Amino acid sequence: MDVISMGEMLIDFTPGKEKNSYIKNPGGAPANAAVSIARNGLKVGFLGKLGEDDFGRFLRETLEEDGVTYLCEGLTKEAVTTLAFVTLYENGERSFTFARKPGADMMLYEWDVKEEDIAKCRLFHAGSFSLSENPSRDAVKYAMKMAHEQGKLVSFDVNYRDMVWESKEAAKNEVDKVLPYIDLLKISDEELYFVGGEENIFRLMDEYDITVVIETLGAKGAKYFFRKEIGKVEGRRVHAVDATGAGDAFFGGFLSKLLLEDVNKKQDLTKDIIEAALRYGNISGSLCVQKMGGIPALPTREEIEKVWNM
């Protein structure tokens, strides 16, 4: 197995063509990333809890259709599958309202993490959404620590959603606790608070031995912070209709390119590989925003490489 992606998978209800209508789409940042990586031809496992209901069964089937292995033992009866209602704006940006009091994604326990699964993967990926509540909070920390101690590449997406946190300070407090386990950290330009601002990024990297920080800039592309150097790869100009899943398409593409370039440990990373992976991720994200929905809009390796070779 190349990658394990851990965290939430949920239903994104995105606006339909008729007024006040919604369309059911599979979503959730770690699940989006898992499918994105799978569509790049890599072997992926998803570690996240789904409800024993029609939505949960639909989501598990969605993973199976893309060849992503569902690593939990069955569906949970403790809560219904988590739902997110998406509001879209004219520029393609969006906001979320979550039905999660509780949601099935929170019912992920330490015993759901199998040491033998992590031992088989090359890269472990997670995000902050699952750190917002227990038991998933402890499960994610447990898995990240295990992956780090096993010498796996560990990536983390801050992906802050204020609706699921008491405060931004509470979210930062939990993110700070997993920084020692991270090799590849993704933030957006709106999430610089979590690293103390751009001017603090290299100090943070030194303190926690983080190898690369990626700062996404939306349509403008992305910056990278690596070996005391800051670089930028420009984005692609396209007509965006829905930004849902765009960041996950970008980072899924980025991580895929690293693995396709045979990066298996942080020592394998170079400036050229990072810049190529950012370009690849930018293409993946730009293709995603031209379609509606999260997972349905994620591009394949063939689609990305067609643009890459233009």
Side-chain angles (χ1 to χ4, degrees):
M1 187 178 296
D2 295 299
V3 177
I4 291 176
S5 188
M6 182 177 189
E8 77 279 6
M9 188 176 194
L10 46 78
I11 299 291
D12 279 331
F13 281 105
T14 53
K17 292 182 179 180
E18 296 182 11
K19 187 178 180 180
N20 298 324
S21 67
Y22 287 91
I23 298 171
K24 176 184 71 175
N25 281 304
N32 290 344
V35 173
S36 174
I37 295 167
R39 289 185 184 175
N40 276 278
L42 295 159
K43 294 181 179 179
V44 185
F46 177 72
L47 184 55
K49 200 62 69 75
L50 305 172
E52 190 172 285
D53 49 50
D54 289 342
F55 290 136
R57 286 183 281 273
F58 163 71
L59 292 176
R60 185 170 61 180
E61 289 169 3
T62 298
L63 292 172
E64 292 170 350
E65 287 171 1
D66 273 289
V68 177
T69 303
Y70 182 61
L71 296 177
C72 288
E73 295 179 2
L75 308 176
T76 182
K77 295 181 179 179
E78 291 185 85
V80 298
T81 298
T82 305
L83 309 177
F85 293 85
V86 184
T87 299
L88 293 179
Y89 303 99
E90 288 184 4
N91 63 355
E93 289 300 318
R94 75 276 188 239
S95 63
F96 298 88
T97 299
F98 293 98
R100 187 183 183 244
K101 295 183 178 181
D105 75 284
M106 296 158 53
M107 304 304 162
L108 188 60
Y109 295 88
E110 289 185 21
W111 60 73
D112 291 308
V113 181
K114 303 295 189 297
E115 186 173 355
E116 58 270 25
D117 288 337
I118 291 180
K120 295 174 185 175
C121 78
R122 299 164 62 192
L123 182 146
F124 180 89
H125 174 68
S128 73
F129 193 95
S130 295
L131 296 178
S132 63
E133 298 284 352
N134 264 324
S136 61
R137 175 188 298 157
D138 288 344
V140 169
K141 291 176 184 176
Y142 174 72
M144 290 181 69
K145 184 174 186 289
M146 183 186 297
H148 174 74
E149 291 176 347
Q150 289 189 13
K152 308 299 180 181
L153 276 171
V154 179
S155 73
F156 187 82
D157 181 3
V158 170
N159 192 41
Y160 175 67
R161 296 286 180 261
D162 61 351
M163 292 286 292
V164 302
W165 291 95
E166 292 180 5
S167 66
K168 187 175 283 190
E169 293 76 17
K172 185 179 185 303
N173 182 55
E174 295 303 327
V175 170
D176 285 349
K177 293 175 184 177
V178 300
L179 290 176
Y181 312 133
I182 297 170
D183 300 306
L184 308 165
L185 176 64
K186 172 185 170 288
I187 59 171
S188 72
D189 53 353
E190 297 176 346
E191 294 167 342
L192 289 170
Y193 167 81
F194 288 88
V195 294
E198 276 195 1
E199 66 278 6
N200 191 56
I201 287 178
F202 285 126
R203 187 203 64 78
L204 188 88
M205 294 172 72
D206 288 341
E207 180 178 355
Y208 294 104
D209 196 25
I210 297 169
T211 305
V212 182
V213 173
I214 302 299
E215 178 189 348
T216 59
L217 307 172
K220 295 179 181 179
K223 288 183 180 180
Y224 66 87
F225 298 76
F226 176 65
R227 294 179 182 171
K228 302 300 182 182
E229 185 172 348
I230 302 173
K232 181 181 177 182
V233 176
E234 297 290 336
R236 297 180 66 243
R237 288 185 174 274
V238 298
H239 176 64
V241 297
D242 183 4
T244 305
D248 308 319
F250 161 80
F251 205 51
F254 174 82
L255 295 175
S256 296
K257 186 63 173 174
L258 295 184
L259 296 177
L260 292 169
E261 293 293 331
D262 293 324
V263 172
N264 294 303
K265 55 186 183 298
K266 60 185 181 182
Q267 290 82 3
D268 295 333
L269 289 162
T270 66
K271 176 182 173 181
D272 288 344
I273 288 175
I274 291 168
E275 289 184 346
L278 285 176
R279 182 186 168 212
Y280 195 90
N282 282 339
I283 293 171
S284 180
S286 72
L287 291 171
C288 178
V289 300
Q290 296 178 70
K291 299 178 182 178
M292 294 292 294
I295 285 178
L298 297 172
T300 63
R301 181 177 177 181
E302 291 72 22
E303 290 173 318
I304 297 170
E305 290 183 343
K306 182 178 179 180
V307 177
W308 177 277
N309 294 321
M310 289 174 61

